[in-house]
Structure formats: C-alpha cells, structure tokens
Amino acid sequence: MKPGFPVLEVSHDLCTGSVALLGAHVMEWTPAGQKPVLYMSADAVFEEGQPIRGGIPVCWPWFGGREGLPGHGFARLRFWELTRAVDSAEGVELEFHLRGAGDVGWPHAFALALSVKMGKTLEINLEMKHLGDASVEITAALHTYLSVGAIEQTSVHGLAGALYLDTLDDHQVKRQEGEVVFDREVDRIYVSDGDVQVVDQAWNRSLDVGKSGSRATVVWNPWIEKSQRLADLPDDAYHGFLCIEAANTGEDSITLEPDETHCLRQVMAVSG
Ligand code: TA6
C-alpha cells in the first residue's frame, strides 16, 4: 500500500531512505550495500490518524496506553512541517517541526523538533520544548523497528546485569542474565543509559544502537500470538524484526519546567 500523504525519498551515494510528514516518521534507511536496517510491515496502514507499523514511530508526550487516548501519544498521528533539508557528502539532513497550543489529552503548549541525519549512520534527535505555564511530566520514545534475518538467531548485547520492568509479568522488576535472546514475546523496559548491539547471526551483521538523553531502553518482539493479533503485522512478522527503543519512561520520565527543553537521541550503524 502506498502512502496517501507526502513522503520524502532520500537517494544518496551512502544510503537510501524515506521519511513521512505524518509523524516525521522515518520509514526506511538502507546504507549502500546493506539490507534495509529499519523494518516496515508489509501490512502497514498509511492513513492520517493511524500509526505506521515500522520504521521509527515518535512516541510523545506519553509512552504506552492511556484510557481513551491514542497509544504512545499523538505526535506520530500529526503532520509535521519540513523546515530544513541539506544534502552533503556525508549524507542528508532533514528537520521537522510540530508546534501546538495543546492537543488531545495534552492541554499544554509545546514545540517539537525532529532532526534526521541519514548517511553511513542514522541519527535521530527529538527536541521537546514545554511552552506551558506549569511543570509537566513527559514520557517518550523513539520506537525503532530493526530488521533481522531471524529473531531466533538474534541476541541483544549490552544489557547483561541491567534491571528491567517485565511488562508481560505484572511489571515485575527483574535482572537481565546474559544477552537478551528471543523464544517468546519480549516487552521489557531496561534501566540503561548505554549503547546496545543487535547481533544478527542469520544475516551475519551487527547493528550498533547508541543514544543520549535516555535512561530507559525498551526491547520488544511480539512473537507469534501478538503478531497474529495485530492487523497491520503479517502473522510471521515476529520472525524478522525487533524494537530497540531509546525511551524516557518507567523510572525515567522527564519533568519539564516552562520553556525547558529535553533532547532524546538515537544513533544507529551497521557493524561487522
Ligand atoms: O514498545 C513496546 C510496546 O509498548 C508494546 O507493548 C506494543 O504495544 C508496541 O509498543 C506497539 O505499540 P503500538 O501502539 O505501536 O501498536
């Protein structure tokens, strides 16, 4: 299904990619000579007001579900404005803005800026400025879907020993023993401000995922039953992706005073 709204296509010596104005949503990033790094569901829905299943959904001003409100906030459901596009030998830089005097479930003025630097690496910066007149608590995530050859032969390194909230087991606090591996649904909020490496044995490659402005890393794979339940995911989709999300959630929510800004950043590179 082709989007029914504007999508910026990037074609550069170092990579190809695309970014939708809906949600300033990075949909594709493929470094030259590589398989696509971002996963996009073959059953994704491209309609205003619907989240896109894949790429990098921007979850703001809340992460997760809220009664009667859109899951993961409204920012990914709004059309952003392209304010900057620069092509250079290092790649393409794009910047998008979303400003509002308030929105559904969020009666506060705000200004968001998302910058995308796409080349041999992919860097996403979400700058969130609170323009209201009292402090607010925000949760957010860059909800990145990464393509892998086979989830059963994929492991996430860099979280050994970290505490995490297991959202599938009553949000109990547990400690990660060894690398994160996948043989069931995984939906965990790790307490971590560090980088991780996704080791994809099937495609014989590793993805280095760094971040800043975040002390929570969400790791998600829907596994079989949830893949079958989600209408915008093929039944076997769990096999070919995982989410590694730079987040401010769990113990790492952000409190912003009026005119205060917070920046959430994620950087990806293919290594090995
Ligand atoms: O980041 C993990 C998660 O919160 C999962 O619980 C799952 O719901 C996923 O996000 C997808 O959320 P979405 O609203 O995009 O379907």
Side-chain angles (χ1 to χ4, degrees):
M1 177 192 292
K2 287 300 284 177
F5 45 71
V7 173
L8 292 147
E9 299 288 346
V10 171
S11 177
H12 188 279
D13 291 345
L14 297 177
C15 72
T16 58
S18 64
V19 186
L21 289 189
L22 183 70
H25 195 121
V26 181
M27 295 187 10
E28 188 229 332
W29 174 57
T30 305
Q34 283 291 344
K35 293 181 174 70
V37 172
L38 301 182
Y39 169 83
M40 179 58 66
S41 169
D43 297 342
V45 174
F46 299 102
E47 286 170 19
E48 183 178 1
Q50 292 291 324
I52 300 171
R53 179 71 62 195
I56 306 178
V58 175
C59 302
W60 193 89
W62 59 83
F63 176 82
R66 285 205 177 167
E67 186 64 39
L69 293 170
H72 290 325
F74 56 78
R76 65 179 179 169
L77 307 177
R78 299 288 178 266
F79 284 106
W80 293 47
E81 179 195 357
L82 174 67
T83 57
R84 183 169 182 267
V86 175
D87 189 346
S88 73
E90 288 68 46
V92 171
E93 288 188 45
L94 304 169
E95 185 160 324
F96 303 84
H97 285 181
L98 180 71
R99 300 176 71 93
D103 206 301
V104 64
W106 191 256
H108 312 292
F110 64 90
L112 299 179
L114 188 107
S115 70
V116 180
K117 295 177 184 170
M118 203 180 260
K120 266 180 78 67
T121 62
L122 174 62
E123 178 178 333
I124 311 289
N125 279 285
L126 173 63
E127 194 176 274
M128 48 190 98
K129 185 168 187 177
H130 174 45
L131 301 174
D133 52 13
S135 67
V136 284
E137 185 175 354
I138 291 170
T139 53
L142 297 173
H143 193 300
T144 303
Y145 286 71
L146 299 171
S147 280
V148 294
I151 193 65
E152 301 87 343
Q153 300 172 48
T154 296
S155 51
V156 179
H157 298 230
L159 294 170
L163 294 177
Y164 66 89
L165 288 176
D166 187 343
T167 72
L168 302 172
D169 187 9
D170 200 22
H171 281 75
Q172 285 193 50
V173 177
K174 301 177 180 177
R175 187 176 296 279
Q176 179 60 39
E177 295 185 14
E179 314 315 345
V180 182
V181 293
F182 303 85
D183 60 4
R184 69 197 70 183
E185 181 178 0
V186 168
D187 191 349
R188 302 172 184 170
I189 302 171
Y190 285 88
V191 179
S192 169
D193 60 3
D195 300 354
V196 299
Q197 188 173 66
V198 176
V199 178
D200 175 352
Q201 286 186 358
W203 280 356
N204 189 31
R205 81 174 178 187
S206 294
L207 302 175
D208 295 335
V209 186
K211 67 174 185 175
S212 64
S214 159
R215 287 182 289 116
T217 297
V218 179
V219 178
W220 177 56
N221 179 275
W223 207 243
I224 300 169
E225 191 273 330
K226 192 157 192 179
S227 289
Q228 292 169 341
R229 213 169 60 227
L230 292 171
D232 56 356
L233 263 185
D235 289 354
D236 63 350
Y238 72 96
H239 187 68
F241 83 90
L242 76 161
C243 287
I244 300 287
E245 307 164 34
N248 297 125
T249 189
E251 298 301 307
D252 183 36
S253 63
I254 298 292
T255 298
L256 291 183
E257 298 303 325
D259 294 330
E260 191 177 2
T261 297
H262 174 72
C263 197
L264 176 60
R265 174 176 168 272
Q266 191 178 50
V267 186
M268 282 152 270
V270 178
S271 68

